[in-house]
Amino acid sequence: MTFTLSAESEKIVDELLTRYPTKRASCLPVLHLCQREQGWISPEVIDYVAKRLDLPTSEVQGIVTFYTMYHQEPVAPNVVWVCRTLSCDLRGGREVQKHLEERFGCHVGGTSKDGKFTLKTAECLAACGQAPMIQVNDEFYENLTLASLDRVIDELAAKTGVKSPSGTPQPGTPEARVRAKTLMGLGEG
Amino acid sequence: MADFPKVLSNRYALPQSWTLKTVEAHGAYSAARQAFTTMKPEQIAAEVKDANIRGRGGAGFPAGVKWSFLPKDSKVAPYLVINADEGEPGTFKDRTIMELDPHRLIEGCLIAMRAIGANVCYIYVRGELVTSIKRLEAAIEEARSRGYIGKQPFGVNHELKIYVHMGAGAYICGEETSLLNSLEGMRGEPRLKPPFPAVKGAFGAPTIVNNVETIASVPDIIRMGGKAWSDQSRLPRDGGTRLYGVSGHVKTPGVYEAPVGLTLRELIYDLGGGMLYAARPLKAVIPGGSSTPVLRPGDLVHAPDEKHPLHPWHGKSHIDVPMGVDTFRALGTMLGTCCAIVMDDSVNMVDVARNLMHFYSHESCGQCTPCREGTGWLHDVLRNLCEGRGSENDAAMLVEIANNMMGNTICAFADGTAMPMLGLLQKFREEFIEAGKRGAPKHTLGATVRGIGFTGGAA
Ligand SMILES: Cc1cc2nc3c(=O)[nH]c(=O)nc-3n(C[C@H](O)[C@H](O)[C@H](O)COP(=O)(O)O)c2cc1C
Ligand code: FES
């Protein structure tokens, strides 16, 4: 199976290529686009990017493994990043993590029983004055209490309708596609 | 609370402050117009030099001096690259500029590009900061539609392009040469210096890398004049106002603008609203991001010699020394990003070290052996100490590992790991010895928060 980007995203790639004096400089943004369409960076995505940018697949692979934002495995429609670094830890980051592990029935790195959330830990997300905090997809949720944390998760769970029968993660949600359009410099922001 | 005049952050509170419509009624792009239409590039650079602005990214290098390192005879135009990778633990100031006043950064970019003769600027934004990226891109679009970015900004023949480049999650990409590799589509591994970026940077061309806050200060420097901008500071050779961050155990954590030379006491007890719990006094403060060695309020400045840079504060507490690049270096720490992490007396320092060394071992790029192995080893030893599997000799071992990292690597990441580790060991040695004997009290950091935030009753 080969991976293809939507026609719209292809146009964005064309535009990205004009921004830099080399083709390979578009590698990070193009990978972001692919991940926003498909939900993760599959081997097929790596092949696609390598071909599109005239790079050896091993180079693209090396980039994907270097940066934490690229998911090398399928993830749930919502990726929850709990900040574990010092300022958050001083104000309850660990409690947030524990609470989510209990609620999701999984450990960090795993996906919730209902398949809607993948739980990860993040290093300092530049929100230290609003600790404790989590990032879910593109949004920051700050100054959390256990009650507000539960509310955030409840709302997201209600919005995440697509649930596969097996409970396996569902990459490439429609919402993710919409986000891709507004992000890469061509949308309304 | 002390009320400092707001300069850099004076538009933060306006409704929709990230839109051109709002900020242009409050002076946005007037400094750029002034610079393009009434000043020569050398005059702009001279004002920035007079402003004595020290880089806001952590190293504190004078921006005006850095710009003068660009080769005069280069055949290719230099690049301007903005470091918006904000990732140093405890640091959350650049994000406020990008989210609340992106046009100020864009205006600063325009003026800086004019001064150094650049045609292209890349703003390298940490990938997680999606709101920052969206607002910057929207701001660039607005500025382009007005012609401020384009072929003839303000009627002057100097083509300007500004692009946002989205990072992908790696603290090391804040290091300027790693950032350049990442911009070029490679793994974010730092380069050997020299050559310095000013000579050979992005895509092999001369490049100036500056922090977001450094460049966002440039419009005010032009508007006020370099000297007047500099004189807002309480210190010599370290000018202006800057953004201070305060997080951890204070009542009102946040980002506050104040003159350079504020004291930690003012930051914690005045701007920060004081300690979170009345019954838990200040134990320690990390002054400017996690790589800066810790300070204790009980330590007094010892500088009886009149020529010593800290002599004016002889006999005073470390937290009463004005926060400046030079004063804090003299104090044996660093000013770093000027964002302090405040800890009360319920915190165990072995647990703090474990938390931070987890960060560094996760974020080491792995290129240099002393750093790759050293960070992992430090974290292992500390985890053992925290879980009751340590020994009394571990403190000495931590010192030895840290010493072997210092100065032995390509970039400053390893030093930025070893220095805070050694600082904690020097100032809180008994806690590490005690942990070796008995095990550190488990999860002291988490324990301190029970009752705050979670029950809604902040002190
Ligand atoms: C490990 C490491 C991480 C860094 N992270 C950042 C960062 O996130 N943002 C930043 O502006 N500077 C960071 N720096 C400092 C940059 O290398 C560089 O000094 C700075 O961007 C220069 O801008 P300035 O002179 O305006 O401060 C980092 C340095 C090191 C060694
Ligand atoms: S420590 Fe959590 S955002 Fe900085």
Side-chain angles (χ1 to χ4, degrees):
Chain A
M1 213 178 70
T2 52
F3 170 80
T4 49
L5 271 178
S6 66
E8 260 162 294
S9 295
E10 280 295 340
K11 267 194 233 139
I12 299 179
V13 176
D14 288 336
E15 207 273 347
L16 282 170
L17 287 168
T18 67
R19 295 182 169 194
Y20 309 94
T22 65
K23 263 190 171 180
R24 82 172 294 155
S26 304
C27 191
L28 266 64
V30 172
L31 282 166
H32 278 304
L33 268 180
C34 297
Q35 175 155 300
R36 275 163 186 275
E37 289 217 347
Q38 164 159 305
W40 66 295
I41 305 291
S42 61
E44 290 78 19
V45 168
I46 292 177
D47 286 341
Y48 161 82
V49 175
K51 216 173 262 154
R52 188 79 160 88
L53 302 179
D54 291 330
L55 290 170
T57 44
S58 58
E59 294 267 334
V60 181
Q61 178 78 40
I63 287 167
V64 171
T65 54
F66 188 85
Y67 297 97
T68 50
M69 283 177 73
Y70 299 127
H71 304 303
Q72 297 170 60
E73 283 163 22
V75 289
N78 300 296
V79 180
V80 181
W81 299 89
V82 183
C83 176
R84 58 147 295 279
T85 315
L86 187 57
S87 300
C88 281
D89 206 357
L90 288 168
R91 300 196 64 137
R94 226 175 300 201
E95 300 287 318
V96 170
Q97 180 185 329
K98 223 189 295 166
H99 186 74
L100 289 177
E101 284 179 329
E102 279 163 21
R103 178 166 174 165
F104 292 160
C106 70
H107 286 294
V108 169
T111 288
S112 61
K113 292 248 152 61
D114 63 5
K116 293 180 180 180
F117 298 92
T118 294
L119 182 63
K120 301 208 178 197
T121 49
E123 298 298 345
C124 181
L125 285 166
C128 327
Q130 297 84 42
M133 64 82 65
I134 58 172
Q135 176 171 19
V136 188
N137 308 327
D138 288 347
E139 299 298 324
F140 279 22
Y141 299 91
E142 303 174 328
N143 295 312
L144 291 170
T145 64
L146 284 190
S148 70
L149 176 63
D150 271 332
R151 269 200 306 278
V152 168
I153 300 298
D154 287 343
E155 276 168 30
L156 286 163
K159 263 197 257 172
T160 311
V162 271
K163 184 189 151 195
S164 68
S166 62
T168 46
Q170 192 82 48
T173 60
E175 301 89 86
R177 284 172 187 273
V178 173
R179 283 201 304 275
K181 268 183 261 160
T182 51
L183 192 74
M184 306 309 299
L186 301 179
E188 300 79 68
Chain B
M1 186 170 94
D3 218 0
F4 297 106
K6 291 188 174 50
V7 181
L8 177 64
S9 60
N10 69 347
R11 302 194 292 237
Y12 276 17
L14 299 174
Q16 303 265 307
S17 59
W18 50 93
T19 59
L20 186 55
K21 206 169 130 224
T22 298
V23 295
E24 92 187 327
H26 291 84
Y29 295 102
S30 62
R33 185 179 304 275
Q34 181 189 342
F36 274 77
T37 58
T38 70
M39 295 168 83
K40 292 204 181 75
E42 309 81 69
Q43 289 174 303
I44 302 174
E47 293 298 335
V48 172
K49 215 171 218 170
D50 287 348
N52 288 310
I53 179 165
R54 311 289 290 259
R56 305 303 198 219
F61 196 81
V65 176
K66 186 189 282 190
W67 292 7
S68 72
F69 289 160
L70 283 172
K72 302 280 172 290
D73 51 358
S74 173
K75 297 230 160 27
V76 284
Y79 287 106
L80 176 67
V81 173
I82 306 301
N83 191 339
D85 195 52
E86 188 152 75
E88 171 85 1
T91 307
F92 54 109
K93 65 183 181 67
D94 295 339
R95 206 185 123 209
T96 64
I97 299 174
M98 295 187 283
E99 289 190 7
L100 296 176
D101 198 355
H103 281 289
R104 192 180 295 268
L105 175 60
I106 304 295
E107 185 177 7
C109 292
L110 301 181
I111 301 171
M113 288 164 86
R114 178 70 181 154
I116 66 173
N119 297 115
V120 179
C121 165
Y122 297 105
I123 306 177
Y124 184 106
V125 189
R126 194 177 166 177
E128 292 91 337
L129 303 182
V130 177
T131 304
S132 295
I133 292 170
K134 284 185 178 170
R135 292 204 174 150
L136 278 172
E137 294 207 318
I140 290 170
E141 205 41 59
E142 286 183 316
R144 190 178 341 197
S145 70
R146 288 293 166 83
Y148 303 156
I149 299 173
K151 286 213 164 16
Q152 277 195 326
F154 310 99
V156 176
N157 280 322
H158 184 145
E159 183 170 17
L160 301 176
K161 293 177 180 166
I162 303 182
Y163 300 119
V164 173
H165 186 90
M166 184 176 178
Y171 164 69
I172 189 60
C173 289
E175 195 281 335
E176 57 186 8
T177 60
S178 161
L179 183 146
L180 294 173
N181 274 342
S182 183
L183 173 66
E184 292 183 25
M186 292 185 267
R187 291 162 68 90
E189 284 158 357
R191 301 173 180 173
L192 271 172
K193 294 193 259 192
F196 288 92
V199 176
K200 190 165 182 281
F203 307 104
T207 300
I208 293 295
V209 182
N210 270 135
N211 169 263
V212 169
E213 186 187 346
T214 310
I215 294 297
S217 301
V218 170
D220 293 314
I221 291 172
I222 296 303
R223 190 174 50 77
M224 299 170 72
K227 172 137 195 335
W229 189 88
S230 179
D231 288 347
Q232 301 174 99
S233 165
R234 296 180 185 171
L235 291 172
R237 292 178 305 281
D238 193 343
T241 62
R242 63 183 299 164
L243 299 179
Y244 291 80
V246 56
S247 68
H249 293 151
V250 290
K251 286 203 180 89
T252 52
V255 173
Y256 302 95
E257 182 175 4
V260 168
L262 197 77
T263 65
L264 279 165
R265 188 182 299 282
E266 288 172 287
L267 181 60
I268 296 168
Y269 293 97
D270 193 352
L271 301 180
M275 295 304 290
L276 188 56
Y277 298 106
R280 292 188 193 164
L282 174 65
K283 177 172 180 177
V285 50
I286 297 175
S290 63
S291 299
T292 60
V294 68
L295 296 174
R296 293 181 297 194
D299 288 330
L300 304 182
V301 176
H302 182 74
D305 181 354
E306 274 176 32
K307 285 198 214 79
H308 194 284
L310 294 180
H311 179 70
W313 303 280
H314 177 63
K316 288 198 172 168
S317 161
H318 281 182
I319 68 168
D320 288 317
V321 175
M323 299 171 77
V325 176
D326 302 322
T327 48
F328 269 41
R329 197 168 291 153
L331 209 50
T333 180
M334 277 173 56
L335 185 59
T337 59
C338 211
C339 287
I341 306 172
V342 178
M343 293 170 281
D344 69 27
D345 71 350
S346 68
V347 174
N348 181 284
M349 289 298 152
V350 186
D351 210 13
V352 169
R354 183 204 49 75
N355 182 297
L356 292 181
M357 294 307 134
H358 179 132
F359 170 83
Y360 290 106
S361 68
H362 182 262
E363 297 296 331
S364 171
C365 82
Q367 198 176 199
C368 310
T369 309
C371 177
R372 181 185 63 241
E373 299 300 317
T375 51
W377 199 2
L378 288 173
H379 182 225
D380 280 350
V381 172
L382 288 161
R383 205 172 35 195
N384 282 341
L385 273 175
C386 284
E387 290 172 3
R389 283 178 274 120
S391 89
E392 282 168 67
N393 301 329
D394 284 351
M397 178 147 66
L398 290 167
V399 173
E400 198 187 321
I401 302 169
N403 276 330
N404 279 322
M405 295 170 66
M406 292 280 277
N408 288 332
T409 53
I410 290 176
C411 85
F413 181 105
D415 291 23
T417 307
M419 282 186 310
M421 184 68 246
L422 291 170
L424 285 166
L425 282 159
Q426 188 200 346
K427 297 201 170 153
F428 299 97
R429 195 176 182 84
E430 9 25 281
E431 293 188 23
F432 289 82
I433 304 279
E434 185 67 19
K437 281 190 198 149
R438 262 171 269 224
K442 272 211 185 125
H443 302 329
T444 61
L445 307 189
T448 63
V449 303
R450 290 212 168 272
I452 79 120
F454 288 85
T455 54

